[in-house]
Each structure stands twice: as structure tokens, then as C-alpha cells.
């Protein structure tokens, strides 16, 4: 039976180990629609997306920062998400919405994904992770790299979130109680 949206949100866990199965064109087409239909402030659509499947490029991108990106070398697909700060003062929000939507569409289609943070991360003491990535993908100077979403077929399923682990104490009704 088809899972509800809420069940899919519960089931989505970051996946960092993928099978070697490539992501088909039909699936990439659905990712493209999801990101291009994602809402943006004032409908500014200040984002750009770069789909990467070339193994050598994925290997280079996996070295974009010292921690948290190495697994990208084993991913069949990466989507680099960039924003143009001159087009919107809330490009970060717009890029983040596109990122989570593509992660949820991946989950819906039976694939796994992980968000790799690039904005405000360093490649080394002399170079930001964003400038390192921009150089590899030949991005225009005016753009900022927000994140990279690694996507592929899951090597193994992870446990969904348990209901009893929900942080209900973070939910407030009307006001914070003393
Ligand atoms: C804004 C953001 C940045 C993240 N950056 C990274 C990252 O650079 N590398 C990584 O492996 N995971 C990254 N993650 C994935 C988180 O580590 C993961 O979502 C979190 O541990 C919860 O696990 P789950 O995705 O399985 O629910 C990021 C997630 C978010 C939302």
C-alpha cells in the first residue's frame, strides 16, 4: 500500500551508502519538476541546480570539506544547489526548500539521499567549500553554493524514526509555559 506523506517523513533517514545502480532519466525528470515547482519568496526563483553523475567530478566534490562529504564519491547522483543573493535576500530559505523537497521525492521513489552542507563550510584554511565546489562546476561568480544533495538507491534500509522519540517538549501551544 502507498505510504502517506507523514509515513514517508517518518521513514526518511539520511543514506550515505548507495548501490551502484544509476538513477534513471525518468527519476531525474521527477527531481527536476520537484525543484522547479518548489516555492520561493516572491516567486523570485533565485536558485540554480547542477546534476552530476560523472564519477571523477563526484570524487572531486567528495573532497569539498574535511568532514561529512567523503561518501559522495560512492553516490550515483549529486545535485548541487546554488542561490543568487542578488536575486533574493532569502535565497538560503528558497534553496533549502528545494533541497528537502528533492529529498522527499527521492524517499517517495524508493531512493535514499543526504544533505551535504556547503554554505559556511571550509575546504581548508584558505578556501571556502563553496568556492572549491564552484571552481569544479564552473559556476558564475555571483552564485553561492548552498548544499549538495547526494542521491542513490539505498544499500540498506534504516529504521524509521520511532514515535516515542519525538521531542514533544519543543511544541508549544499559544505560549511558552513557565
Ligand atoms: C542543514 C543540514 C546540513 C547537513 N549537513 C550534512 C553534511 O554536511 N554531511 C552529512 O553527512 N550529513 C549532513 N546532514 C544530514 C544530518 O546529519 C541528518 O539529517 C541528521 O543527522 C538526522 O538524521 P536523518 O537525516 O537520518 O534523520 C545535514 C542535514 C541538514 C538538515
Amino acid at each position: 500500500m502507498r505510504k502517506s506523506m507523514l509515513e514517508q517523513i517518518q521513514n526518511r533517514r539520511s543514506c550515505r551508502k548507495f548501490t551502484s545502480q544509476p538513477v534513471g532519466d525518468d527519476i531525474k525528470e521527477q527531481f527536476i519538476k520537484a525543484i522547479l515547482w518548489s516555492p520561493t519568496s516572491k516567486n523570485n526563483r533565485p536558485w540554480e541546480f547542477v546534476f552530476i553523475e560523472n564519477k571523477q567530478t563526484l570524487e572531486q566534490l567528495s573532497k569539498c570539506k574535511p568532514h561529512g562529504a567523503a561518501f559522495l564519491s560512492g553516490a550515483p547522483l549529486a545535485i548541487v544547489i546554488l542561490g543568487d543573493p542578488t536575486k533574493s535576500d532569502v535565497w538560503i530559505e528558497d534553496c533549502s526548500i528545494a533541497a528537502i523537497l528533492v529529498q522527499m521525492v527521492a524517499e517517495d521513489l524508493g531512493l535514499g539521499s543526504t544533505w551535504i552542507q556547503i554554505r559556511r563550510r571550509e575546504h581548508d584554511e584558505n578556501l571556502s567549500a563553496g568556492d572549491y565546489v564552484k571552481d569544479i562546476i564552473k559556476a558564475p561568480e555571483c552564485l553561492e553554493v548552498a548544499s549538495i544533495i547526494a542521491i542513490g538507491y539505498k544499500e540498506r534500509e534504516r529504521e524509521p524514526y520511532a514515535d516515542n522519540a519525538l521531542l514533544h517538549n519543543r511544541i508549544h501551544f499559544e505560549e511558552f509555559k513557565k
Side-chain angles (χ1 to χ4, degrees), residues 9-16 64-65 67-71 96 100 103 113-118 121 146-149 158-159 161:
I9 291 170
Q10 184 172 16
N11 285 344
R12 186 217 52 81
R13 301 299 316 274
S14 291
C15 172
R16 300 178 179 87
C64 64
K65 57 180 187 173
H67 306 288
F71 64 92
S96 301
I100 191 62
Q103 288 200 271
S113 68
T114 290
W115 178 315
I116 298 171
Q117 182 67 23
I118 302 298
R121 296 291 177 264
S147 61
I148 302 176
I149 308 300
R158 293 182 62 190
E159 281 295 307
Y161 277 108

PDB file of all heavy atoms in Angstrom, residues 9-16 64-65 67-71 96 100 103 113-118 121 146-149 158-159 161, ligand 1:
ATOM      1  N   ILE A   9       7.739  10.902   5.769  1.00  0.00           N
ATOM      2  CA  ILE A   9       8.569  11.819   6.564  1.00  0.00           C
ATOM      3  C   ILE A   9       9.199  11.050   7.730  1.00  0.00           C
ATOM      4  O   ILE A   9      10.375  11.242   8.058  1.00  0.00           O
ATOM      5  CB  ILE A   9       7.732  13.025   7.058  1.00  0.00           C
ATOM      6  CG1 ILE A   9       7.354  13.910   5.870  1.00  0.00           C
ATOM      7  CG2 ILE A   9       8.474  13.824   8.117  1.00  0.00           C
ATOM      8  CD1 ILE A   9       6.346  15.002   6.177  1.00  0.00           C
ATOM      9  N   GLN A  10       8.419  10.147   8.314  1.00  0.00           N
ATOM     10  CA  GLN A  10       8.930   9.331   9.431  1.00  0.00           C
ATOM     11  C   GLN A  10      10.021   8.360   8.946  1.00  0.00           C
ATOM     12  O   GLN A  10      10.984   8.093   9.650  1.00  0.00           O
ATOM     13  CB  GLN A  10       7.770   8.560  10.062  1.00  0.00           C
ATOM     14  CG  GLN A  10       8.164   7.765  11.285  1.00  0.00           C
ATOM     15  CD  GLN A  10       6.965   7.160  12.002  1.00  0.00           C
ATOM     16  OE1 GLN A  10       5.874   7.078  11.447  1.00  0.00           O
ATOM     17  NE2 GLN A  10       7.177   6.723  13.224  1.00  0.00           N
ATOM     18  N   ASN A  11       9.849   7.832   7.758  1.00  0.00           N
ATOM     19  CA  ASN A  11      10.779   6.827   7.215  1.00  0.00           C
ATOM     20  C   ASN A  11      12.067   7.420   6.672  1.00  0.00           C
ATOM     21  O   ASN A  11      13.073   6.730   6.571  1.00  0.00           O
ATOM     22  CB  ASN A  11      10.122   6.050   6.065  1.00  0.00           C
ATOM     23  CG  ASN A  11       9.113   5.057   6.577  1.00  0.00           C
ATOM     24  OD1 ASN A  11       9.090   4.720   7.753  1.00  0.00           O
ATOM     25  ND2 ASN A  11       8.256   4.593   5.699  1.00  0.00           N
ATOM     26  N   ARG A  12      12.030   8.689   6.258  1.00  0.00           N
ATOM     27  CA  ARG A  12      13.234   9.263   5.636  1.00  0.00           C
ATOM     28  C   ARG A  12      14.380   9.358   6.622  1.00  0.00           C
ATOM     29  O   ARG A  12      14.276   9.960   7.649  1.00  0.00           O
ATOM     30  CB  ARG A  12      12.937  10.675   5.074  1.00  0.00           C
ATOM     31  CG  ARG A  12      14.113  11.253   4.283  1.00  0.00           C
ATOM     32  CD  ARG A  12      14.266  12.737   4.505  1.00  0.00           C
ATOM     33  NE  ARG A  12      14.314  13.083   5.912  1.00  0.00           N
ATOM     34  CZ  ARG A  12      15.414  12.975   6.679  1.00  0.00           C
ATOM     35  NH1 ARG A  12      16.555  12.556   6.160  1.00  0.00           N
ATOM     36  NH2 ARG A  12      15.371  13.270   7.977  1.00  0.00           N
ATOM     37  N   ARG A  13      15.452   8.681   6.309  1.00  0.00           N
ATOM     38  CA  ARG A  13      16.683   8.784   7.092  1.00  0.00           C
ATOM     39  C   ARG A  13      17.813   9.078   6.115  1.00  0.00           C
ATOM     40  O   ARG A  13      17.767   8.614   4.973  1.00  0.00           O
ATOM     41  CB  ARG A  13      16.990   7.456   7.830  1.00  0.00           C
ATOM     42  CG  ARG A  13      15.918   6.969   8.792  1.00  0.00           C
ATOM     43  CD  ARG A  13      15.628   7.932   9.928  1.00  0.00           C
ATOM     44  NE  ARG A  13      16.813   8.502  10.557  1.00  0.00           N
ATOM     45  CZ  ARG A  13      17.491   7.915  11.540  1.00  0.00           C
ATOM     46  NH1 ARG A  13      17.086   6.763  12.043  1.00  0.00           N
ATOM     47  NH2 ARG A  13      18.565   8.494  12.049  1.00  0.00           N
ATOM     48  N   SER A  14      18.814   9.790   6.559  1.00  0.00           N
ATOM     49  CA  SER A  14      19.929  10.071   5.657  1.00  0.00           C
ATOM     50  C   SER A  14      20.581   8.772   5.224  1.00  0.00           C
ATOM     51  O   SER A  14      20.789   7.870   6.044  1.00  0.00           O
ATOM     52  CB  SER A  14      20.960  10.952   6.373  1.00  0.00           C
ATOM     53  OG  SER A  14      20.429  12.236   6.566  1.00  0.00           O
ATOM     54  N   CYS A  15      20.886   8.685   3.949  1.00  0.00           N
ATOM     55  CA  CYS A  15      21.529   7.491   3.390  1.00  0.00           C
ATOM     56  C   CYS A  15      22.879   7.919   2.821  1.00  0.00           C
ATOM     57  O   CYS A  15      22.941   8.852   2.010  1.00  0.00           O
ATOM     58  CB  CYS A  15      20.635   6.904   2.297  1.00  0.00           C
ATOM     59  SG  CYS A  15      21.435   5.577   1.401  1.00  0.00           S
ATOM     60  N   ARG A  16      23.925   7.260   3.282  1.00  0.00           N
ATOM     61  CA  ARG A  16      25.278   7.624   2.820  1.00  0.00           C
ATOM     62  C   ARG A  16      25.961   6.481   2.096  1.00  0.00           C
ATOM     63  O   ARG A  16      27.112   6.608   1.688  1.00  0.00           O
ATOM     64  CB  ARG A  16      26.120   8.108   4.008  1.00  0.00           C
ATOM     65  CG  ARG A  16      25.531   9.341   4.696  1.00  0.00           C
ATOM     66  CD  ARG A  16      26.325   9.806   5.894  1.00  0.00           C
ATOM     67  NE  ARG A  16      25.741  11.001   6.494  1.00  0.00           N
ATOM     68  CZ  ARG A  16      24.777  10.995   7.411  1.00  0.00           C
ATOM     69  NH1 ARG A  16      24.279   9.834   7.854  1.00  0.00           N
ATOM     70  NH2 ARG A  16      24.299  12.133   7.898  1.00  0.00           N
ATOM     71  N   CYS A  64      35.247  18.278  -0.906  1.00  0.00           N
ATOM     72  CA  CYS A  64      34.939  19.715  -0.759  1.00  0.00           C
ATOM     73  C   CYS A  64      35.165  20.226   0.662  1.00  0.00           C
ATOM     74  O   CYS A  64      35.404  21.414   0.860  1.00  0.00           O
ATOM     75  CB  CYS A  64      33.516  20.007  -1.220  1.00  0.00           C
ATOM     76  SG  CYS A  64      32.257  19.197  -0.218  1.00  0.00           S
ATOM     77  N   LYS A  65      35.051  19.341   1.644  1.00  0.00           N
ATOM     78  CA  LYS A  65      35.295  19.764   3.034  1.00  0.00           C
ATOM     79  C   LYS A  65      35.874  18.569   3.787  1.00  0.00           C
ATOM     80  O   LYS A  65      35.691  17.420   3.366  1.00  0.00           O
ATOM     81  CB  LYS A  65      34.019  20.325   3.675  1.00  0.00           C
ATOM     82  CG  LYS A  65      32.826  19.378   3.685  1.00  0.00           C
ATOM     83  CD  LYS A  65      31.630  20.040   4.346  1.00  0.00           C
ATOM     84  CE  LYS A  65      30.487  19.039   4.525  1.00  0.00           C
ATOM     85  NZ  LYS A  65      29.388  19.600   5.312  1.00  0.00           N
ATOM     86  N   HIS A  67      35.136  17.014   6.530  1.00  0.00           N
ATOM     87  CA  HIS A  67      34.224  16.035   7.147  1.00  0.00           C
ATOM     88  C   HIS A  67      32.836  16.133   6.514  1.00  0.00           C
ATOM     89  O   HIS A  67      32.380  17.217   6.158  1.00  0.00           O
ATOM     90  CB  HIS A  67      34.083  16.304   8.655  1.00  0.00           C
ATOM     91  CG  HIS A  67      35.399  16.358   9.361  1.00  0.00           C
ATOM     92  ND1 HIS A  67      36.167  15.234   9.585  1.00  0.00           N
ATOM     93  CD2 HIS A  67      36.098  17.416   9.843  1.00  0.00           C
ATOM     94  CE1 HIS A  67      37.283  15.599  10.191  1.00  0.00           C
ATOM     95  NE2 HIS A  67      37.271  16.915  10.360  1.00  0.00           N
ATOM     96  N   GLY A  68      32.192  14.984   6.428  1.00  0.00           N
ATOM     97  CA  GLY A  68      30.776  14.994   6.064  1.00  0.00           C
ATOM     98  C   GLY A  68      30.461  14.988   4.581  1.00  0.00           C
ATOM     99  O   GLY A  68      29.303  15.203   4.197  1.00  0.00           O
ATOM    100  N   ALA A  69      31.465  14.763   3.725  1.00  0.00           N
ATOM    101  CA  ALA A  69      31.176  14.737   2.279  1.00  0.00           C
ATOM    102  C   ALA A  69      31.847  13.564   1.570  1.00  0.00           C
ATOM    103  O   ALA A  69      31.570  13.315   0.399  1.00  0.00           O
ATOM    104  CB  ALA A  69      31.601  16.045   1.628  1.00  0.00           C
ATOM    105  N   ALA A  70      32.707  12.832   2.261  1.00  0.00           N
ATOM    106  CA  ALA A  70      33.513  11.775   1.620  1.00  0.00           C
ATOM    107  C   ALA A  70      32.643  10.734   0.909  1.00  0.00           C
ATOM    108  O   ALA A  70      33.014  10.235  -0.158  1.00  0.00           O
ATOM    109  CB  ALA A  70      34.405  11.115   2.658  1.00  0.00           C
ATOM    110  N   PHE A  71      31.474  10.441   1.489  1.00  0.00           N
ATOM    111  CA  PHE A  71      30.602   9.404   0.917  1.00  0.00           C
ATOM    112  C   PHE A  71      30.066   9.772  -0.470  1.00  0.00           C
ATOM    113  O   PHE A  71      29.541   8.920  -1.185  1.00  0.00           O
ATOM    114  CB  PHE A  71      29.440   9.097   1.876  1.00  0.00           C
ATOM    115  CG  PHE A  71      28.524  10.254   2.100  1.00  0.00           C
ATOM    116  CD1 PHE A  71      27.408  10.429   1.305  1.00  0.00           C
ATOM    117  CD2 PHE A  71      28.780  11.188   3.102  1.00  0.00           C
ATOM    118  CE1 PHE A  71      26.564  11.502   1.493  1.00  0.00           C
ATOM    119  CE2 PHE A  71      27.950  12.270   3.293  1.00  0.00           C
ATOM    120  CZ  PHE A  71      26.836  12.431   2.494  1.00  0.00           C
ATOM    121  N   SER A  96      16.901  25.833   0.503  1.00  0.00           N
ATOM    122  CA  SER A  96      16.664  24.773   1.496  1.00  0.00           C
ATOM    123  C   SER A  96      15.357  24.048   1.206  1.00  0.00           C
ATOM    124  O   SER A  96      15.268  22.822   1.354  1.00  0.00           O
ATOM    125  CB  SER A  96      16.626  25.359   2.909  1.00  0.00           C
ATOM    126  OG  SER A  96      17.841  25.995   3.198  1.00  0.00           O
ATOM    127  N   ILE A 100      14.989  19.971   0.520  1.00  0.00           N
ATOM    128  CA  ILE A 100      14.206  18.979   1.275  1.00  0.00           C
ATOM    129  C   ILE A 100      13.135  18.358   0.378  1.00  0.00           C
ATOM    130  O   ILE A 100      12.817  17.168   0.516  1.00  0.00           O
ATOM    131  CB  ILE A 100      13.633  19.569   2.586  1.00  0.00           C
ATOM    132  CG1 ILE A 100      13.065  18.460   3.488  1.00  0.00           C
ATOM    133  CG2 ILE A 100      12.573  20.610   2.347  1.00  0.00           C
ATOM    134  CD1 ILE A 100      14.065  17.433   3.942  1.00  0.00           C
ATOM    135  N   GLN A 103      14.736  15.643  -1.485  1.00  0.00           N
ATOM    136  CA  GLN A 103      14.974  14.511  -0.582  1.00  0.00           C
ATOM    137  C   GLN A 103      13.690  13.705  -0.373  1.00  0.00           C
ATOM    138  O   GLN A 103      13.714  12.479  -0.314  1.00  0.00           O
ATOM    139  CB  GLN A 103      15.519  14.994   0.769  1.00  0.00           C
ATOM    140  CG  GLN A 103      16.965  15.479   0.706  1.00  0.00           C
ATOM    141  CD  GLN A 103      17.611  15.478   2.086  1.00  0.00           C
ATOM    142  OE1 GLN A 103      17.526  16.470   2.808  1.00  0.00           O
ATOM    143  NE2 GLN A 103      18.247  14.387   2.454  1.00  0.00           N
ATOM    144  N   SER A 113      18.939   9.597   0.261  1.00  0.00           N
ATOM    145  CA  SER A 113      19.668  10.847  -0.004  1.00  0.00           C
ATOM    146  C   SER A 113      20.272  11.377   1.293  1.00  0.00           C
ATOM    147  O   SER A 113      19.861  10.976   2.385  1.00  0.00           O
ATOM    148  CB  SER A 113      18.710  11.891  -0.583  1.00  0.00           C
ATOM    149  OG  SER A 113      17.780  12.295   0.404  1.00  0.00           O
ATOM    150  N   THR A 114      21.227  12.258   1.128  1.00  0.00           N
ATOM    151  CA  THR A 114      21.751  13.016   2.281  1.00  0.00           C
ATOM    152  C   THR A 114      22.102  14.423   1.841  1.00  0.00           C
ATOM    153  O   THR A 114      22.645  14.633   0.759  1.00  0.00           O
ATOM    154  CB  THR A 114      22.995  12.333   2.899  1.00  0.00           C
ATOM    155  OG1 THR A 114      22.580  11.136   3.543  1.00  0.00           O
ATOM    156  CG2 THR A 114      23.682  13.211   3.937  1.00  0.00           C
ATOM    157  N   TRP A 115      21.797  15.329   2.695  1.00  0.00           N
ATOM    158  CA  TRP A 115      22.122  16.764   2.521  1.00  0.00           C
ATOM    159  C   TRP A 115      23.580  16.959   2.933  1.00  0.00           C
ATOM    160  O   TRP A 115      23.978  16.570   4.037  1.00  0.00           O
ATOM    161  CB  TRP A 115      21.202  17.545   3.428  1.00  0.00           C
ATOM    162  CG  TRP A 115      21.330  19.034   3.499  1.00  0.00           C
ATOM    163  CD1 TRP A 115      22.462  19.784   3.611  1.00  0.00           C
ATOM    164  CD2 TRP A 115      20.239  19.961   3.485  1.00  0.00           C
ATOM    165  NE1 TRP A 115      22.139  21.106   3.670  1.00  0.00           N
ATOM    166  CE2 TRP A 115      20.790  21.247   3.599  1.00  0.00           C
ATOM    167  CE3 TRP A 115      18.843  19.823   3.401  1.00  0.00           C
ATOM    168  CZ2 TRP A 115      20.003  22.392   3.639  1.00  0.00           C
ATOM    169  CZ3 TRP A 115      18.066  20.963   3.439  1.00  0.00           C
ATOM    170  CH2 TRP A 115      18.638  22.236   3.544  1.00  0.00           C
ATOM    171  N   ILE A 116      24.365  17.573   2.080  1.00  0.00           N
ATOM    172  CA  ILE A 116      25.743  17.935   2.438  1.00  0.00           C
ATOM    173  C   ILE A 116      25.812  19.458   2.503  1.00  0.00           C
ATOM    174  O   ILE A 116      25.582  20.153   1.495  1.00  0.00           O
ATOM    175  CB  ILE A 116      26.745  17.384   1.398  1.00  0.00           C
ATOM    176  CG1 ILE A 116      26.681  15.841   1.378  1.00  0.00           C
ATOM    177  CG2 ILE A 116      28.168  17.859   1.700  1.00  0.00           C
ATOM    178  CD1 ILE A 116      27.460  15.204   0.256  1.00  0.00           C
ATOM    179  N   GLN A 117      26.111  19.955   3.676  1.00  0.00           N
ATOM    180  CA  GLN A 117      26.143  21.406   3.889  1.00  0.00           C
ATOM    181  C   GLN A 117      27.390  22.008   3.246  1.00  0.00           C
ATOM    182  O   GLN A 117      28.504  21.543   3.494  1.00  0.00           O
ATOM    183  CB  GLN A 117      26.111  21.715   5.391  1.00  0.00           C
ATOM    184  CG  GLN A 117      26.083  23.178   5.728  1.00  0.00           C
ATOM    185  CD  GLN A 117      24.776  23.845   5.300  1.00  0.00           C
ATOM    186  OE1 GLN A 117      23.749  23.183   5.143  1.00  0.00           O
ATOM    187  NE2 GLN A 117      24.802  25.146   5.092  1.00  0.00           N
ATOM    188  N   ILE A 118      27.226  23.027   2.447  1.00  0.00           N
ATOM    189  CA  ILE A 118      28.363  23.701   1.809  1.00  0.00           C
ATOM    190  C   ILE A 118      28.476  25.141   2.302  1.00  0.00           C
ATOM    191  O   ILE A 118      29.568  25.605   2.633  1.00  0.00           O
ATOM    192  CB  ILE A 118      28.234  23.685   0.269  1.00  0.00           C
ATOM    193  CG1 ILE A 118      28.140  22.235  -0.232  1.00  0.00           C
ATOM    194  CG2 ILE A 118      29.424  24.425  -0.373  1.00  0.00           C
ATOM    195  CD1 ILE A 118      29.348  21.374   0.059  1.00  0.00           C
ATOM    196  N   ARG A 121      30.838  26.480   5.168  1.00  0.00           N
ATOM    197  CA  ARG A 121      31.799  25.406   5.463  1.00  0.00           C
ATOM    198  C   ARG A 121      33.098  25.698   4.722  1.00  0.00           C
ATOM    199  O   ARG A 121      33.095  26.327   3.671  1.00  0.00           O
ATOM    200  CB  ARG A 121      31.253  24.043   5.040  1.00  0.00           C
ATOM    201  CG  ARG A 121      30.008  23.613   5.811  1.00  0.00           C
ATOM    202  CD  ARG A 121      30.334  23.310   7.266  1.00  0.00           C
ATOM    203  NE  ARG A 121      29.145  22.974   8.042  1.00  0.00           N
ATOM    204  CZ  ARG A 121      28.457  23.839   8.790  1.00  0.00           C
ATOM    205  NH1 ARG A 121      28.840  25.101   8.860  1.00  0.00           N
ATOM    206  NH2 ARG A 121      27.404  23.452   9.471  1.00  0.00           N
ATOM    207  N   ALA A 146      24.745  26.475  -1.768  1.00  0.00           N
ATOM    208  CA  ALA A 146      24.036  26.240  -0.507  1.00  0.00           C
ATOM    209  C   ALA A 146      24.350  24.838   0.015  1.00  0.00           C
ATOM    210  O   ALA A 146      24.787  24.658   1.155  1.00  0.00           O
ATOM    211  CB  ALA A 146      22.536  26.398  -0.725  1.00  0.00           C
ATOM    212  N   SER A 147      24.105  23.847  -0.813  1.00  0.00           N
ATOM    213  CA  SER A 147      24.256  22.455  -0.373  1.00  0.00           C
ATOM    214  C   SER A 147      24.438  21.553  -1.586  1.00  0.00           C
ATOM    215  O   SER A 147      24.252  21.981  -2.734  1.00  0.00           O
ATOM    216  CB  SER A 147      23.007  22.021   0.408  1.00  0.00           C
ATOM    217  OG  SER A 147      21.862  22.107  -0.422  1.00  0.00           O
ATOM    218  N   ILE A 148      24.800  20.322  -1.291  1.00  0.00           N
ATOM    219  CA  ILE A 148      24.810  19.272  -2.320  1.00  0.00           C
ATOM    220  C   ILE A 148      23.937  18.147  -1.775  1.00  0.00           C
ATOM    221  O   ILE A 148      24.091  17.744  -0.620  1.00  0.00           O
ATOM    222  CB  ILE A 148      26.233  18.732  -2.575  1.00  0.00           C
ATOM    223  CG1 ILE A 148      27.177  19.859  -3.010  1.00  0.00           C
ATOM    224  CG2 ILE A 148      26.204  17.609  -3.616  1.00  0.00           C
ATOM    225  CD1 ILE A 148      28.637  19.410  -3.190  1.00  0.00           C
ATOM    226  N   ILE A 149      23.027  17.641  -2.599  1.00  0.00           N
ATOM    227  CA  ILE A 149      22.213  16.505  -2.169  1.00  0.00           C
ATOM    228  C   ILE A 149      22.743  15.261  -2.886  1.00  0.00           C
ATOM    229  O   ILE A 149      22.757  15.207  -4.119  1.00  0.00           O
ATOM    230  CB  ILE A 149      20.715  16.720  -2.484  1.00  0.00           C
ATOM    231  CG1 ILE A 149      20.222  18.071  -1.925  1.00  0.00           C
ATOM    232  CG2 ILE A 149      19.893  15.560  -1.902  1.00  0.00           C
ATOM    233  CD1 ILE A 149      20.345  18.261  -0.430  1.00  0.00           C
ATOM    234  N   ARG A 158      17.272   1.970   6.718  1.00  0.00           N
ATOM    235  CA  ARG A 158      17.484   2.331   8.128  1.00  0.00           C
ATOM    236  C   ARG A 158      16.140   2.341   8.835  1.00  0.00           C
ATOM    237  O   ARG A 158      15.098   2.489   8.201  1.00  0.00           O
ATOM    238  CB  ARG A 158      18.145   3.708   8.226  1.00  0.00           C
ATOM    239  CG  ARG A 158      19.563   3.696   7.684  1.00  0.00           C
ATOM    240  CD  ARG A 158      20.206   5.050   7.849  1.00  0.00           C
ATOM    241  NE  ARG A 158      20.318   5.466   9.244  1.00  0.00           N
ATOM    242  CZ  ARG A 158      20.670   6.688   9.630  1.00  0.00           C
ATOM    243  NH1 ARG A 158      20.919   7.622   8.726  1.00  0.00           N
ATOM    244  NH2 ARG A 158      20.757   6.993  10.911  1.00  0.00           N
ATOM    245  N   GLU A 159      16.220   2.183  10.153  1.00  0.00           N
ATOM    246  CA  GLU A 159      14.989   2.209  10.958  1.00  0.00           C
ATOM    247  C   GLU A 159      14.302   3.560  10.824  1.00  0.00           C
ATOM    248  O   GLU A 159      14.970   4.606  10.904  1.00  0.00           O
ATOM    249  CB  GLU A 159      15.339   2.007  12.438  1.00  0.00           C
ATOM    250  CG  GLU A 159      15.602   0.574  12.844  1.00  0.00           C
ATOM    251  CD  GLU A 159      14.372  -0.301  12.727  1.00  0.00           C
ATOM    252  OE1 GLU A 159      13.324   0.067  13.291  1.00  0.00           O
ATOM    253  OE2 GLU A 159      14.463  -1.346  12.046  1.00  0.00           O
ATOM    254  N   TYR A 161      12.069   6.746  12.151  1.00  0.00           N
ATOM    255  CA  TYR A 161      12.003   7.380  13.471  1.00  0.00           C
ATOM    256  C   TYR A 161      10.895   6.739  14.306  1.00  0.00           C
ATOM    257  O   TYR A 161       9.823   6.432  13.786  1.00  0.00           O
ATOM    258  CB  TYR A 161      11.739   8.879  13.313  1.00  0.00           C
ATOM    259  CG  TYR A 161      13.003   9.647  13.039  1.00  0.00           C
ATOM    260  CD1 TYR A 161      13.259  10.183  11.781  1.00  0.00           C
ATOM    261  CD2 TYR A 161      13.961   9.809  14.028  1.00  0.00           C
ATOM    262  CE1 TYR A 161      14.436  10.875  11.527  1.00  0.00           C
ATOM    263  CE2 TYR A 161      15.139  10.490  13.779  1.00  0.00           C
ATOM    264  CZ  TYR A 161      15.368  11.023  12.535  1.00  0.00           C
ATOM    265  OH  TYR A 161      16.534  11.694  12.294  1.00  0.00           O
TER     266      TYR A 161
HETATM  267  C1  LIG B   1      21.191  21.714   7.116  1.00  0.00           C
HETATM  268  C2  LIG B   1      21.721  20.303   7.119  1.00  0.00           C
HETATM  269  C3  LIG B   1      23.066  20.092   6.901  1.00  0.00           C
HETATM  270  C4  LIG B   1      23.575  18.788   6.860  1.00  0.00           C
HETATM  271  N1  LIG B   1      24.888  18.597   6.533  1.00  0.00           N
HETATM  272  C5  LIG B   1      25.353  17.332   6.419  1.00  0.00           C
HETATM  273  C6  LIG B   1      26.679  17.100   5.946  1.00  0.00           C
HETATM  274  O1  LIG B   1      27.414  18.022   5.582  1.00  0.00           O
HETATM  275  N2  LIG B   1      27.095  15.809   5.859  1.00  0.00           N
HETATM  276  C7  LIG B   1      26.288  14.746   6.220  1.00  0.00           C
HETATM  277  O2  LIG B   1      26.753  13.603   6.129  1.00  0.00           O
HETATM  278  N3  LIG B   1      25.026  14.942   6.668  1.00  0.00           N
HETATM  279  C8  LIG B   1      24.543  16.201   6.751  1.00  0.00           C
HETATM  280  N4  LIG B   1      23.243  16.409   7.125  1.00  0.00           N
HETATM  281  C9  LIG B   1      22.406  15.270   7.491  1.00  0.00           C
HETATM  282  C10 LIG B   1      22.158  15.243   9.013  1.00  0.00           C
HETATM  283  O3  LIG B   1      23.341  14.806   9.646  1.00  0.00           O
HETATM  284  C11 LIG B   1      20.973  14.317   9.306  1.00  0.00           C
HETATM  285  O4  LIG B   1      19.830  14.797   8.648  1.00  0.00           O
HETATM  286  C12 LIG B   1      20.685  14.256  10.805  1.00  0.00           C
HETATM  287  O5  LIG B   1      21.739  13.616  11.482  1.00  0.00           O
HETATM  288  C13 LIG B   1      19.411  13.479  11.108  1.00  0.00           C
HETATM  289  O6  LIG B   1      19.459  12.188  10.541  1.00  0.00           O
HETATM  290  P1  LIG B   1      18.384  11.710   9.458  1.00  0.00           P
HETATM  291  O7  LIG B   1      18.570  12.530   8.212  1.00  0.00           O
HETATM  292  O8  LIG B   1      18.689  10.261   9.234  1.00  0.00           O
HETATM  293  O9  LIG B   1      17.032  11.962  10.038  1.00  0.00           O
HETATM  294  C14 LIG B   1      22.721  17.694   7.130  1.00  0.00           C
HETATM  295  C15 LIG B   1      21.351  17.921   7.355  1.00  0.00           C
HETATM  296  C16 LIG B   1      20.864  19.197   7.325  1.00  0.00           C
HETATM  297  C17 LIG B   1      19.378  19.407   7.505  1.00  0.00           C
END
